[in-house]
């Protein structure tokens, strides 16, 4: 998938992949429709960071979710 373009489809894809990687229990906390392309660069950065990690500690997960929360509309 080409994530170089800030499209709503790419936003949805990245949010879904992040939720899957974090194995989030409360998936409603991060709904893709709550994000838009205006914060695309920050979201893409978070996506790349999360996908590179083999493991994520609970503290890191909390920080990632908090940062994603700040990117929501």
């Amino acid at each position: 998938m080409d994530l170089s373009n800030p499209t709503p489809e790419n936003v949805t894809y990245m949010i879904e992949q992040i939720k899957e990687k974090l194995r989030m229990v409360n998936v409603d906390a991060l709904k893709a429709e709550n994000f838009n392309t205006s914060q695309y660069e920050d979201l893409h950065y978070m996506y790349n960071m999360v996908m590179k990690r083999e493991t994520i500690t609970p503290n890191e997960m909390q920080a990632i979710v908090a940062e994603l929360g700040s990117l929501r509309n």
Side-chain angles (χ1 to χ4, degrees):
M1 175 166 244
D2 178 18
L3 296 176
S4 62
N5 297 316
T7 65
E9 293 80 18
N10 285 348
V11 169
T12 299
Y13 175 80
M14 289 189 291
I15 292 297
E16 293 303 317
Q17 292 299 307
I18 290 170
K19 288 191 303 191
E20 207 172 292
K21 179 81 174 195
L22 297 179
R23 296 187 197 124
M24 291 185 62
V25 176
N26 186 5
V27 293
D28 289 336
L30 291 178
K31 291 184 177 182
E33 59 265 15
N34 292 334
F35 295 84
N36 64 39
T37 56
S38 67
Q39 300 288 339
Y40 191 82
E41 286 184 33
D42 294 330
L43 180 59
H44 192 245
Y45 173 80
M46 293 294 295
Y47 168 80
N48 285 328
M49 183 193 69
V50 169
M51 292 300 125
K52 281 195 286 188
R53 303 292 307 265
E54 279 294 315
T55 60
I56 299 173
T57 68
N59 286 342
E60 290 170 329
M61 185 183 303
Q62 190 173 19
I64 291 166
V65 171
E67 183 64 28
L68 288 171
S70 72
L71 297 177
R72 290 188 306 180
N73 296 332

